[in-house]
Amino acid sequence: PAPAEAGRAPGPPDGGWGWVVLFGAFVSIGFAYAFPKGLAIFFKEIQDFFGTSYSEIAWVSSIMLATTYGAGPISSILVNRYGSRPVVMFGGLLCGVGMISAAFCTSILQLYICVGFITGFGLALNLQPSVIIIGKYFLKRRPIANGLAMAGSPVMLCTLAPLNQFLFDNFGWRGSFLILGAILLNCCVAGALFRPIGPGTALVKTQVTEKEKDALKGKITEDSPMKNKTEEEEGKDCFEKINQYLDFSLFKHRGFLIYLIGNVLMFLGFFAPIVFLAPYAKHTGIDEYSAAFLLSILAIVDMVARPATGIIANSRWVRPRIQYFFSFAIAFNGACHLLCPLASSYTGLVVYSGFFGLAFGMVCAMLFETLMDLVGAARFTSAVGLVTIAECCTILLGPPVGGILIDTFGDYKYMFIKCGTVMVLAGTFLFIMNYYNYRMLAKEEKERKKKEEDPKSVWTENEGKITWNKDSMQDGPELEPLREEGERVKKEVNGT
Protein backbone atom coordinates (compact mmCIF):
# COMPACT_ATOMS: atom_id res chain seq x y z
CA PRO A 1 0.00 0.00 0.00
CA ALA A 2 1.02 3.62 -0.65
CA PRO A 3 2.30 5.67 2.31
CA ALA A 4 -0.27 7.74 4.22
CA GLU A 5 1.10 11.04 2.88
CA ALA A 6 1.18 9.92 -0.77
CA GLY A 7 -2.46 10.68 -1.50
CA ARG A 8 -2.50 14.16 0.00
CA ALA A 9 -2.30 17.08 -2.39
CA PRO A 10 0.19 19.76 -1.41
CA GLY A 11 -1.28 22.99 -0.02
CA PRO A 12 -1.62 26.11 -2.20
CA PRO A 13 1.93 27.48 -2.65
CA ASP A 14 0.74 31.15 -2.72
CA GLY A 15 3.62 31.97 -5.06
CA GLY A 16 6.33 30.17 -7.05
CA TRP A 17 4.90 28.76 -10.27
CA GLY A 18 1.58 30.22 -9.14
CA TRP A 19 2.65 33.62 -10.53
CA VAL A 20 3.20 32.05 -13.97
CA VAL A 21 -0.22 30.40 -13.72
CA LEU A 22 -1.63 33.80 -12.71
CA PHE A 23 -0.19 35.34 -15.88
CA GLY A 24 -1.83 32.60 -17.99
CA ALA A 25 -5.14 33.23 -16.21
CA PHE A 26 -4.66 36.98 -16.79
CA VAL A 27 -4.47 36.41 -20.57
CA SER A 28 -7.23 33.80 -20.68
CA ILE A 29 -9.71 35.72 -18.50
CA GLY A 30 -8.84 38.93 -20.35
CA PHE A 31 -9.91 37.48 -23.69
CA ALA A 32 -13.00 35.80 -22.21
CA TYR A 33 -14.38 39.06 -20.77
CA ALA A 34 -13.00 41.76 -23.09
CA PHE A 35 -13.50 40.16 -26.50
CA PRO A 36 -17.34 40.35 -26.61
CA LYS A 37 -17.15 44.03 -25.57
CA GLY A 38 -14.40 44.88 -28.06
CA LEU A 39 -16.49 43.56 -30.96
CA ALA A 40 -18.95 46.45 -30.40
CA ILE A 41 -16.59 48.58 -32.55
CA PHE A 42 -17.73 46.64 -35.66
CA PHE A 43 -21.48 46.64 -34.88
CA LYS A 44 -22.43 49.90 -36.62
CA GLU A 45 -20.71 48.84 -39.85
CA ILE A 46 -21.99 45.22 -39.75
CA GLN A 47 -25.48 46.61 -39.09
CA ASP A 48 -25.25 48.76 -42.24
CA PHE A 49 -23.73 45.89 -44.25
CA PHE A 50 -26.55 43.42 -43.46
CA GLY A 51 -29.29 46.07 -43.03
CA THR A 52 -30.29 44.95 -39.51
CA SER A 53 -31.73 46.79 -36.47
CA TYR A 54 -30.00 47.59 -33.13
CA SER A 55 -31.68 44.67 -31.38
CA GLU A 56 -30.69 42.17 -34.11
CA ILE A 57 -27.01 43.16 -34.08
CA ALA A 58 -27.00 43.15 -30.26
CA TRP A 59 -27.81 39.41 -30.36
CA VAL A 60 -24.23 38.72 -31.57
CA SER A 61 -22.72 39.87 -28.25
CA SER A 62 -25.65 38.46 -26.26
CA ILE A 63 -25.34 34.97 -27.70
CA MET A 64 -21.55 35.03 -27.20
CA LEU A 65 -21.85 36.16 -23.56
CA ALA A 66 -24.74 33.77 -22.84
CA THR A 67 -22.82 30.83 -24.35
CA THR A 68 -19.71 31.81 -22.35
CA TYR A 69 -21.73 31.69 -19.12
CA GLY A 70 -24.23 28.98 -20.07
CA ALA A 71 -21.49 26.50 -20.95
CA GLY A 72 -20.12 26.86 -17.42
CA PRO A 73 -21.30 23.42 -16.19
CA ILE A 74 -19.79 21.72 -19.27
CA SER A 75 -16.53 23.53 -18.63
CA SER A 76 -16.59 22.53 -14.93
CA ILE A 77 -17.22 18.87 -15.82
CA LEU A 78 -14.34 18.89 -18.33
CA VAL A 79 -12.01 20.51 -15.76
CA ASN A 80 -12.91 17.88 -13.15
CA ARG A 81 -12.32 15.13 -15.71
CA TYR A 82 -9.24 16.34 -17.63
CA GLY A 83 -7.80 19.31 -15.69
CA SER A 84 -7.48 22.99 -16.58
CA ARG A 85 -4.60 22.83 -19.07
CA PRO A 86 -6.13 20.75 -21.93
CA VAL A 87 -9.53 22.44 -21.54
CA VAL A 88 -8.11 25.96 -21.96
CA MET A 89 -5.96 24.89 -24.94
CA PHE A 90 -8.96 23.34 -26.68
CA GLY A 91 -11.02 26.46 -25.90
CA GLY A 92 -8.37 28.70 -27.53
CA LEU A 93 -8.50 26.52 -30.65
CA LEU A 94 -12.31 26.84 -30.81
CA CYS A 95 -12.09 30.65 -30.46
CA GLY A 96 -9.70 30.88 -33.39
CA VAL A 97 -11.82 28.61 -35.59
CA GLY A 98 -15.01 30.54 -34.74
CA MET A 99 -13.62 33.97 -35.63
CA ILE A 100 -11.88 32.79 -38.82
CA SER A 101 -15.15 31.15 -39.94
CA ALA A 102 -17.04 34.40 -39.14
CA ALA A 103 -14.89 36.25 -41.71
CA PHE A 104 -16.66 34.28 -44.47
CA CYS A 105 -20.25 34.73 -43.19
CA THR A 106 -22.88 36.01 -45.64
CA SER A 107 -25.80 36.55 -43.21
CA ILE A 108 -26.44 37.70 -39.66
CA LEU A 109 -27.61 34.18 -38.75
CA GLN A 110 -24.22 32.74 -39.68
CA LEU A 111 -22.57 35.38 -37.46
CA TYR A 112 -24.77 34.21 -34.57
CA ILE A 113 -23.45 30.66 -35.04
CA CYS A 114 -19.74 31.40 -35.67
CA VAL A 115 -19.18 34.37 -33.35
CA GLY A 116 -21.98 33.69 -30.85
CA PHE A 117 -21.92 29.94 -30.31
CA ILE A 118 -18.52 28.62 -31.47
CA THR A 119 -16.36 31.51 -30.20
CA GLY A 120 -18.56 31.89 -27.10
CA PHE A 121 -18.11 28.21 -26.21
CA GLY A 122 -14.35 28.56 -26.69
CA LEU A 123 -14.30 31.54 -24.31
CA ALA A 124 -16.28 29.48 -21.75
CA LEU A 125 -13.55 26.84 -21.84
CA ASN A 126 -11.05 29.65 -21.13
CA LEU A 127 -12.91 31.40 -18.32
CA GLN A 128 -13.92 28.65 -15.87
CA PRO A 129 -10.60 26.70 -15.70
CA SER A 130 -8.63 29.95 -15.26
CA VAL A 131 -10.76 31.01 -12.29
CA ILE A 132 -10.66 27.51 -10.77
CA ILE A 133 -6.89 27.04 -10.99
CA ILE A 134 -6.23 30.35 -9.16
CA GLY A 135 -8.08 28.89 -6.15
CA LYS A 136 -5.77 25.87 -6.24
CA TYR A 137 -2.54 27.91 -6.33
CA PHE A 138 -3.51 30.69 -3.88
CA LEU A 139 -5.15 30.78 -0.45
CA LYS A 140 -3.82 33.62 1.74
CA ARG A 141 -3.28 35.90 -1.25
CA ARG A 142 -6.37 34.70 -3.13
CA PRO A 143 -8.30 38.03 -3.21
CA ILE A 144 -5.20 39.81 -4.56
CA ALA A 145 -4.58 37.00 -7.09
CA ASN A 146 -8.21 37.14 -8.25
CA GLY A 147 -7.99 40.95 -8.58
CA LEU A 148 -4.80 40.71 -10.67
CA ALA A 149 -6.21 37.94 -12.89
CA MET A 150 -9.44 39.86 -13.43
CA ALA A 151 -7.35 42.90 -14.46
CA GLY A 152 -6.73 40.98 -17.69
CA SER A 153 -10.16 42.08 -18.90
CA PRO A 154 -9.54 45.88 -18.85
CA VAL A 155 -5.99 45.47 -20.18
CA MET A 156 -7.31 43.47 -23.15
CA LEU A 157 -10.25 45.85 -23.65
CA CYS A 158 -7.92 48.85 -23.55
CA THR A 159 -5.82 47.20 -26.28
CA LEU A 160 -8.64 45.72 -28.37
CA ALA A 161 -10.78 48.88 -28.66
CA PRO A 162 -8.25 50.99 -30.66
CA LEU A 163 -6.78 47.87 -32.33
CA ASN A 164 -10.20 46.84 -33.67
CA GLN A 165 -10.79 50.33 -35.04
CA PHE A 166 -7.35 50.28 -36.70
CA LEU A 167 -7.97 46.83 -38.18
CA PHE A 168 -11.37 47.87 -39.50
CA ASP A 169 -9.99 51.00 -41.21
CA ASN A 170 -7.25 48.99 -42.93
CA PHE A 171 -8.77 45.55 -43.56
CA GLY A 172 -12.56 45.89 -43.16
CA TRP A 173 -14.57 43.79 -40.73
CA ARG A 174 -13.90 40.50 -42.58
CA GLY A 175 -10.13 40.96 -42.60
CA SER A 176 -10.27 42.09 -38.96
CA PHE A 177 -12.09 38.89 -37.96
CA LEU A 178 -9.36 36.78 -39.61
CA ILE A 179 -6.62 38.60 -37.67
CA LEU A 180 -8.59 38.45 -34.41
CA GLY A 181 -9.03 34.68 -34.88
CA ALA A 182 -5.24 34.33 -35.08
CA ILE A 183 -4.79 36.52 -31.98
CA LEU A 184 -7.23 34.35 -29.98
CA LEU A 185 -5.03 31.30 -30.59
CA ASN A 186 -2.74 32.78 -27.91
CA CYS A 187 -5.20 31.31 -25.39
CA CYS A 188 -3.61 27.93 -26.21
CA VAL A 189 -0.26 29.30 -25.05
CA ALA A 190 -1.84 30.65 -21.85
CA GLY A 191 -3.41 27.23 -21.16
CA ALA A 192 -0.04 25.50 -21.58
CA LEU A 193 1.18 27.38 -18.46
CA PHE A 194 -1.47 25.74 -16.23
CA ARG A 195 0.68 23.07 -14.61
CA PRO A 196 -1.52 20.66 -12.58
CA ILE A 197 -1.09 20.75 -8.80
CA GLY A 198 -1.24 17.61 -6.60
CA PRO A 199 -1.22 14.89 -9.29
CA GLY A 200 -1.00 12.09 -6.70
CA THR A 201 -4.44 12.79 -5.29
CA ALA A 202 -6.44 11.69 -8.31
CA LEU A 203 -4.50 8.39 -8.57
CA VAL A 204 -5.06 7.36 -4.94
CA LYS A 205 -8.70 8.48 -5.05
CA THR A 206 -9.27 6.34 -8.13
CA GLN A 207 -7.70 3.31 -6.46
CA VAL A 208 -9.87 3.74 -3.37
CA THR A 209 -12.99 4.20 -5.49
CA GLU A 210 -12.28 1.05 -7.50
CA LYS A 211 -11.79 -0.97 -4.30
CA GLU A 212 -15.04 0.38 -2.87
CA LYS A 213 -16.90 -0.51 -6.07
CA ASP A 214 -15.48 -4.07 -6.09
CA ALA A 215 -16.43 -4.53 -2.42
CA LEU A 216 -19.91 -3.17 -3.09
CA LYS A 217 -20.41 -5.47 -6.08
CA GLY A 218 -19.23 -8.46 -4.01
CA LYS A 219 -21.67 -7.59 -1.22
CA ILE A 220 -24.58 -7.30 -3.66
CA THR A 221 -23.74 -10.68 -5.24
CA GLU A 222 -23.50 -12.46 -1.87
CA ASP A 223 -26.25 -10.82 0.16
CA SER A 224 -28.96 -9.84 -2.33
CA PRO A 225 -28.89 -11.29 -5.82
CA MET A 226 -32.29 -9.78 -6.62
CA LYS A 227 -32.44 -7.85 -9.90
CA ASN A 228 -34.34 -4.83 -8.59
CA LYS A 229 -31.76 -4.13 -5.86
CA THR A 230 -28.91 -4.31 -8.38
CA GLU A 231 -30.71 -1.78 -10.58
CA GLU A 232 -31.25 0.47 -7.55
CA GLU A 233 -27.53 0.41 -6.71
CA GLU A 234 -26.66 1.14 -10.37
CA GLY A 235 -29.06 4.10 -10.35
CA LYS A 236 -27.51 5.42 -7.14
CA ASP A 237 -24.05 5.03 -8.67
CA CYS A 238 -25.14 7.02 -11.74
CA PHE A 239 -26.51 9.84 -9.57
CA GLU A 240 -23.29 9.89 -7.55
CA LYS A 241 -21.32 10.27 -10.78
CA ILE A 242 -23.42 13.30 -11.82
CA ASN A 243 -23.20 14.81 -8.34
CA GLN A 244 -19.42 14.34 -8.39
CA TYR A 245 -19.14 16.95 -11.15
CA LEU A 246 -22.06 19.24 -10.20
CA ASP A 247 -22.90 19.39 -6.49
CA PHE A 248 -26.67 20.00 -6.52
CA SER A 249 -26.74 20.10 -2.71
CA LEU A 250 -25.56 23.71 -3.12
CA PHE A 251 -29.20 24.64 -3.75
CA LYS A 252 -29.76 23.96 -0.02
CA HIS A 253 -26.96 26.41 0.86
CA ARG A 254 -28.51 29.70 2.03
CA GLY A 255 -25.57 31.94 1.08
CA PHE A 256 -25.27 30.36 -2.38
CA LEU A 257 -28.97 30.95 -3.13
CA ILE A 258 -28.73 34.63 -2.07
CA TYR A 259 -25.68 35.11 -4.31
CA LEU A 260 -27.38 33.34 -7.23
CA ILE A 261 -30.62 35.39 -7.13
CA GLY A 262 -28.74 38.70 -6.78
CA ASN A 263 -26.36 37.92 -9.65
CA VAL A 264 -29.10 36.72 -12.01
CA LEU A 265 -30.90 40.05 -11.49
CA MET A 266 -27.66 42.05 -11.80
CA PHE A 267 -26.65 40.60 -15.18
CA LEU A 268 -29.86 41.89 -16.76
CA GLY A 269 -28.19 45.32 -16.82
CA PHE A 270 -24.48 44.50 -16.49
CA PHE A 271 -23.19 44.17 -20.08
CA ALA A 272 -25.64 46.26 -22.15
CA PRO A 273 -24.05 49.68 -21.30
CA ILE A 274 -20.62 48.50 -22.52
CA VAL A 275 -22.06 47.00 -25.71
CA PHE A 276 -23.86 50.27 -26.57
CA LEU A 277 -21.34 52.84 -25.28
CA ALA A 278 -19.40 53.22 -28.57
CA PRO A 279 -22.56 53.16 -30.79
CA TYR A 280 -24.16 55.75 -28.45
CA ALA A 281 -21.14 58.05 -28.85
CA LYS A 282 -21.27 57.67 -32.65
CA HIS A 283 -25.03 58.36 -32.56
CA THR A 284 -24.39 61.72 -30.82
CA GLY A 285 -22.01 62.76 -33.63
CA ILE A 286 -18.66 61.80 -32.09
CA ASP A 287 -16.07 60.40 -34.53
CA GLU A 288 -15.13 56.69 -34.56
CA TYR A 289 -11.74 56.94 -32.85
CA SER A 290 -13.06 59.18 -30.06
CA ALA A 291 -15.94 56.73 -29.53
CA ALA A 292 -13.48 53.82 -29.34
CA PHE A 293 -11.32 55.87 -26.92
CA LEU A 294 -14.24 55.91 -24.44
CA LEU A 295 -13.84 52.13 -24.11
CA SER A 296 -10.10 52.64 -23.59
CA ILE A 297 -10.78 55.16 -20.78
CA LEU A 298 -13.18 52.68 -19.17
CA ALA A 299 -10.57 49.94 -19.49
CA ILE A 300 -7.69 52.04 -18.06
CA VAL A 301 -9.69 52.93 -14.94
CA ASP A 302 -10.93 49.33 -14.70
CA MET A 303 -7.32 48.14 -14.95
CA VAL A 304 -6.38 50.09 -11.81
CA ALA A 305 -9.66 49.38 -9.98
CA ARG A 306 -9.44 45.57 -10.05
CA PRO A 307 -6.07 45.04 -8.29
CA ALA A 308 -6.86 47.91 -5.89
CA THR A 309 -10.21 46.28 -5.05
CA GLY A 310 -8.43 42.96 -4.50
CA ILE A 311 -6.02 44.59 -2.03
CA ILE A 312 -8.87 46.33 -0.16
CA ALA A 313 -10.95 43.11 -0.12
CA ASN A 314 -7.97 41.21 1.33
CA SER A 315 -7.65 43.62 4.28
CA ARG A 316 -8.67 42.42 7.74
CA TRP A 317 -11.43 45.05 7.91
CA VAL A 318 -13.20 44.13 4.66
CA ARG A 319 -12.57 40.39 4.11
CA PRO A 320 -14.77 39.15 7.00
CA ARG A 321 -17.70 41.16 5.52
CA ILE A 322 -16.76 41.10 1.84
CA GLN A 323 -20.40 40.46 0.79
CA TYR A 324 -21.37 44.00 1.90
CA PHE A 325 -18.55 45.46 -0.19
CA PHE A 326 -19.76 43.48 -3.22
CA SER A 327 -23.34 44.74 -2.72
CA PHE A 328 -22.13 48.34 -2.58
CA ALA A 329 -20.12 47.90 -5.81
CA ILE A 330 -23.21 46.65 -7.69
CA ALA A 331 -25.41 49.52 -6.44
CA PHE A 332 -22.65 52.05 -7.31
CA ASN A 333 -22.51 50.57 -10.83
CA GLY A 334 -26.26 51.08 -11.22
CA ALA A 335 -26.06 54.68 -9.97
CA CYS A 336 -23.51 55.48 -12.71
CA HIS A 337 -25.92 54.28 -15.42
CA LEU A 338 -28.81 56.27 -13.96
CA LEU A 339 -26.69 59.45 -14.19
CA CYS A 340 -25.39 58.71 -17.73
CA PRO A 341 -28.28 60.48 -19.59
CA LEU A 342 -27.11 63.74 -17.94
CA ALA A 343 -23.83 63.48 -19.91
CA SER A 344 -24.78 65.37 -23.08
CA SER A 345 -21.23 66.23 -24.32
CA TYR A 346 -18.07 64.24 -25.02
CA THR A 347 -16.54 65.51 -21.74
CA GLY A 348 -19.57 64.18 -19.87
CA LEU A 349 -19.18 60.79 -21.56
CA VAL A 350 -15.49 60.73 -20.58
CA VAL A 351 -16.44 61.34 -16.92
CA TYR A 352 -19.15 58.64 -17.14
CA SER A 353 -16.65 56.16 -18.67
CA GLY A 354 -14.24 56.82 -15.78
CA PHE A 355 -16.82 56.19 -13.05
CA PHE A 356 -18.26 53.24 -14.98
CA GLY A 357 -14.78 51.70 -15.25
CA LEU A 358 -14.26 52.08 -11.50
CA ALA A 359 -17.62 50.49 -10.62
CA PHE A 360 -17.26 47.74 -13.24
CA GLY A 361 -13.77 46.84 -11.99
CA MET A 362 -14.96 46.64 -8.38
CA VAL A 363 -17.75 44.20 -9.28
CA CYS A 364 -15.59 41.99 -11.51
CA ALA A 365 -12.72 41.80 -8.99
CA MET A 366 -15.05 40.36 -6.33
CA LEU A 367 -17.42 38.36 -8.55
CA PHE A 368 -15.79 34.96 -7.91
CA GLU A 369 -14.06 35.81 -4.63
CA THR A 370 -17.43 36.36 -2.91
CA LEU A 371 -18.71 33.03 -4.25
CA MET A 372 -15.64 31.18 -2.95
CA ASP A 373 -16.06 32.97 0.38
CA LEU A 374 -19.59 31.53 0.65
CA VAL A 375 -19.13 27.92 -0.52
CA GLY A 376 -15.42 27.23 0.09
CA ALA A 377 -12.69 26.11 -2.32
CA ALA A 378 -13.77 22.44 -2.30
CA ARG A 379 -17.23 23.17 -3.77
CA PHE A 380 -16.21 26.17 -5.87
CA THR A 381 -15.89 24.28 -9.17
CA SER A 382 -19.48 23.05 -8.97
CA ALA A 383 -20.72 26.42 -7.72
CA VAL A 384 -19.21 28.29 -10.69
CA GLY A 385 -20.85 25.87 -13.13
CA LEU A 386 -24.29 26.15 -11.52
CA VAL A 387 -24.12 29.95 -11.20
CA THR A 388 -23.09 30.55 -14.82
CA ILE A 389 -25.85 28.34 -16.26
CA ALA A 390 -28.43 30.31 -14.25
CA GLU A 391 -26.93 33.67 -15.23
CA CYS A 392 -26.84 32.97 -18.97
CA CYS A 393 -30.60 33.68 -19.40
CA THR A 394 -30.38 37.29 -18.16
CA ILE A 395 -27.03 37.80 -19.93
CA LEU A 396 -28.69 36.66 -23.16
CA LEU A 397 -31.66 39.04 -22.72
CA GLY A 398 -29.80 42.13 -21.41
CA PRO A 399 -28.35 43.72 -24.61
CA PRO A 400 -31.30 42.79 -26.92
CA VAL A 401 -33.80 44.29 -24.44
CA GLY A 402 -31.64 47.44 -24.45
CA GLY A 403 -31.64 47.36 -28.27
CA ILE A 404 -35.46 47.06 -28.33
CA LEU A 405 -35.73 50.13 -26.07
CA ILE A 406 -33.44 52.07 -28.43
CA ASP A 407 -35.43 50.96 -31.51
CA THR A 408 -38.76 51.81 -29.82
CA PHE A 409 -37.95 55.25 -28.39
CA GLY A 410 -35.11 56.28 -30.72
CA ASP A 411 -33.10 57.34 -27.66
CA TYR A 412 -30.34 55.59 -25.69
CA LYS A 413 -31.25 57.10 -22.30
CA TYR A 414 -34.04 54.59 -21.62
CA MET A 415 -31.59 51.73 -22.03
CA PHE A 416 -29.21 53.29 -19.46
CA ILE A 417 -32.10 53.98 -17.03
CA LYS A 418 -33.29 50.35 -17.30
CA CYS A 419 -29.79 48.98 -16.61
CA GLY A 420 -29.20 51.38 -13.70
CA THR A 421 -32.51 50.58 -12.02
CA VAL A 422 -31.98 46.81 -12.28
CA MET A 423 -28.46 47.00 -10.80
CA VAL A 424 -29.47 49.27 -7.90
CA LEU A 425 -32.25 46.79 -7.05
CA ALA A 426 -29.78 43.87 -7.23
CA GLY A 427 -27.28 45.62 -4.94
CA THR A 428 -29.99 46.51 -2.41
CA PHE A 429 -31.32 42.93 -2.42
CA LEU A 430 -27.84 41.47 -1.82
CA PHE A 431 -27.08 43.93 0.99
CA ILE A 432 -30.31 43.15 2.88
CA MET A 433 -30.12 39.37 2.38
CA ASN A 434 -26.42 39.19 3.26
CA TYR A 435 -27.18 41.08 6.48
CA TYR A 436 -29.82 38.42 7.22
CA ASN A 437 -27.37 35.62 6.33
CA TYR A 438 -24.63 36.99 8.61
CA ARG A 439 -27.15 37.28 11.46
CA MET A 440 -28.31 33.67 10.96
CA LEU A 441 -24.72 32.36 10.79
CA ALA A 442 -23.87 34.16 14.05
CA LYS A 443 -26.99 32.72 15.68
CA GLU A 444 -26.18 29.18 14.49
CA GLU A 445 -22.59 29.51 15.73
CA LYS A 446 -23.84 30.69 19.13
CA GLU A 447 -26.20 27.70 19.41
CA ARG A 448 -23.41 25.31 18.41
CA LYS A 449 -21.10 26.68 21.12
CA LYS A 450 -23.91 26.47 23.65
CA LYS A 451 -24.44 22.80 22.83
CA GLU A 452 -20.74 22.10 23.15
CA GLU A 453 -20.66 23.70 26.60
CA ASP A 454 -23.75 21.76 27.78
CA PRO A 455 -22.52 18.56 29.58
CA LYS A 456 -25.60 16.57 28.55
CA SER A 457 -25.19 17.32 24.87
CA VAL A 458 -21.46 16.50 25.09
CA TRP A 459 -22.30 13.17 26.77
CA THR A 460 -24.86 12.34 24.10
CA GLU A 461 -22.40 13.25 21.38
CA ASN A 462 -19.66 11.08 22.92
CA GLU A 463 -22.12 8.23 23.29
CA GLY A 464 -22.99 8.59 19.61
CA LYS A 465 -19.31 8.50 18.72
CA ILE A 466 -18.79 5.29 20.75
CA THR A 467 -21.79 3.66 19.04
CA TRP A 468 -20.47 4.71 15.64
CA ASN A 469 -17.02 3.32 16.45
CA LYS A 470 -18.57 -0.02 17.46
CA ASP A 471 -20.57 -0.20 14.26
CA SER A 472 -17.58 0.69 12.15
CA MET A 473 -15.47 -1.96 13.88
CA GLN A 474 -18.11 -4.56 13.04
CA ASP A 475 -18.40 -3.41 9.42
CA GLY A 476 -14.67 -3.42 8.80
CA PRO A 477 -11.97 -0.89 7.84
CA GLU A 478 -13.24 -0.40 4.25
CA LEU A 479 -15.74 2.22 5.49
CA GLU A 480 -12.97 4.54 6.75
CA PRO A 481 -12.86 6.71 3.57
CA LEU A 482 -16.68 6.96 3.63
CA ARG A 483 -16.69 8.23 7.24
CA GLU A 484 -14.12 10.92 6.41
CA GLU A 485 -16.12 11.96 3.36
CA GLY A 486 -19.32 12.12 5.46
CA GLU A 487 -17.66 14.40 8.04
CA ARG A 488 -16.33 16.69 5.28
CA VAL A 489 -19.76 17.01 3.64
CA LYS A 490 -21.37 17.73 7.05
CA LYS A 491 -18.97 20.62 7.66
CA GLU A 492 -19.52 22.06 4.18
CA VAL A 493 -23.32 21.87 4.43
CA ASN A 494 -23.15 23.75 7.74
CA GLY A 495 -21.27 26.52 5.95
CA THR A 496 -17.98 26.14 7.83
Side-chain angles (χ1 to χ4, degrees):
E5 297 293 325
R8 294 184 184 176
D14 273 303
W17 188 259
W19 298 116
V20 180
V21 171
L22 182 61
F23 175 74
F26 174 89
V27 173
S28 190
I29 291 172
F31 277 121
Y33 275 120
F35 197 77
K37 304 164 199 167
L39 284 182
I41 299 295
F42 303 103
F43 282 179
K44 186 71 177 169
E45 288 71 25
I46 294 173
Q47 183 183 347
D48 295 337
F49 185 86
F50 290 114
T52 58
S53 64
Y54 281 107
S55 56
E56 285 176 322
I57 196 67
W59 279 104
V60 175
S61 277
S62 283
I63 292 170
M64 182 188 283
L65 287 166
T67 306
T68 302
Y69 278 78
I74 299 171
S75 183
S76 296
I77 289 169
L78 290 173
V79 170
N80 282 333
R81 181 68 182 84
Y82 300 106
S84 294
R85 179 186 278 174
V87 174
V88 173
M89 293 178 76
F90 179 64
L93 186 63
L94 274 182
C95 290
V97 169
M99 288 306 296
I100 291 167
S101 304
F104 302 97
C105 290
T106 55
S107 69
I108 193 72
L109 182 62
Q110 291 174 357
L111 274 181
Y112 291 161
I113 295 168
C114 294
V115 179
F117 288 108
I118 298 176
T119 307
F121 185 64
L123 293 176
L125 298 183
N126 275 270
L127 177 61
Q128 312 290 351
S130 304
V131 173
I132 290 164
I133 201 163
I134 289 171
K136 292 182 179 178
Y137 269 90
F138 292 91
L139 180 62
K140 291 179 182 177
R141 298 173 180 171
R142 196 179 65 211
I144 298 171
N146 274 321
L148 289 170
M150 289 295 178
S153 172
V155 171
M156 291 296 176
L157 183 59
C158 183
T159 309
L160 284 173
L163 175 65
N164 286 352
Q165 191 63 54
F166 172 79
L167 292 175
F168 175 76
D169 291 341
N170 289 276
F171 304 103
W173 69 269
R174 292 187 186 277
S176 300
F177 279 16
L178 279 172
I179 296 168
L180 289 172
I183 291 171
L184 280 174
L185 290 173
N186 284 289
C187 292
C188 300
V189 181
L193 301 175
F194 291 174
R195 181 188 294 168
I197 187 168
T201 311
L203 180 65
V204 174
K205 257 190 185 173
T206 309
Q207 290 173 354
V208 172
T209 309
E210 290 299 325
K211 284 179 183 177
E212 286 172 7
K213 282 184 180 177
D214 292 341
L216 187 61
K217 284 177 185 175
K219 260 190 173 181
I220 290 169
T221 310
E222 290 171 13
D223 300 337
S224 54
M226 293 172 68
K227 188 180 178 181
N228 57 354
K229 190 162 183 181
T230 308
E231 287 174 357
E232 186 184 340
E233 291 294 337
E234 284 175 0
K236 193 183 286 184
D237 188 51
C238 180
F239 178 77
E240 284 171 0
K241 280 182 180 178
I242 296 170
N243 203 52
Q244 180 185 356
Y245 297 116
L246 291 174
D247 187 1
F248 291 103
S249 66
L250 282 165
F251 287 107
K252 296 178 181 178
H253 192 291
R254 185 174 57 243
F256 174 78
L257 287 174
I258 292 168
Y259 177 91
L260 182 64
I261 295 166
N263 273 35
V264 166
L265 181 61
M266 177 193 74
F267 276 108
L268 195 59
F270 193 59
F271 288 114
I274 293 184
V275 171
F276 288 109
L277 180 57
Y280 173 46
K282 291 177 185 179
H283 177 75
T284 56
I286 295 167
D287 65 277
E288 288 85 355
Y289 276 97
S290 297
F293 186 63
L294 289 174
L295 287 174
S296 296
I297 293 169
L298 187 152
I300 290 166
V301 177
D302 189 3
M303 197 188 309
V304 178
R306 295 196 191 202
T309 303
I311 293 168
I312 294 168
N314 198 46
S315 66
R316 58 191 177 91
W317 299 284
V318 177
R319 193 167 185 180
R321 293 291 183 267
I322 195 172
Q323 306 298 331
Y324 291 148
F325 194 30
F326 183 55
S327 307
F328 165 75
I330 294 171
F332 176 50
N333 205 318
C336 291
H337 302 325
L338 288 173
L339 296 172
C340 178
L342 300 176
S344 55
S345 63
Y346 184 68
T347 307
L349 285 175
V350 168
V351 173
Y352 164 71
S353 299
F355 278 101
F356 183 21
L358 174 63
F360 192 84
M362 289 171 68
V363 173
C364 290
M366 292 184 289
L367 195 61
F368 294 109
E369 176 59 33
T370 47
L371 179 59
M372 196 177 289
D373 177 69
L374 288 168
V375 302
R379 306 170 82 185
F380 181 66
T381 307
S382 293
V384 170
L386 293 172
V387 164
T388 51
I389 191 67
E391 290 169 349
C392 75
C393 300
T394 49
I395 289 169
L396 181 67
L397 293 173
V401 169
I404 290 168
L405 289 172
I406 295 166
D407 291 333
T408 305
F409 297 101
D411 197 339
Y412 282 80
K413 71 177 182 181
Y414 297 102
M415 185 273 298
F416 285 106
I417 290 170
K418 182 270 295 183
C419 294
T421 305
V422 164
M423 294 201 69
V424 168
L425 285 173
T428 307
F429 169 82
L430 282 172
F431 190 89
I432 294 168
M433 294 307 295
N434 280 318
Y435 174 75
Y436 166 76
N437 188 36
Y438 279 132
R439 287 289 298 271
M440 291 299 294
L441 287 172
K443 187 179 177 182
E444 288 162 7
E445 180 67 16
K446 193 176 179 182
E447 287 176 359
R448 187 185 64 80
K449 284 182 178 178
K450 192 177 178 182
K451 282 183 181 178
E452 284 178 357
E453 289 170 3
D454 187 4
K456 289 183 180 179
S457 64
V458 172
W459 182 81
T460 311
E461 190 181 335
N462 290 336
E463 188 184 46
K465 280 182 182 176
I466 292 164
T467 310
W468 169 250
N469 287 336
K470 285 180 181 177
D471 293 341
S472 62
M473 284 169 68
Q474 289 170 2
D475 291 338
E478 65 271 13
L479 291 178
E480 184 63 29
L482 298 179
R483 282 202 304 279
E484 291 175 359
E485 183 68 11
E487 288 172 6
R488 183 183 66 79
V489 171
K490 256 187 186 177
K491 287 178 183 176
E492 289 179 352
V493 168
N494 290 333
T496 57

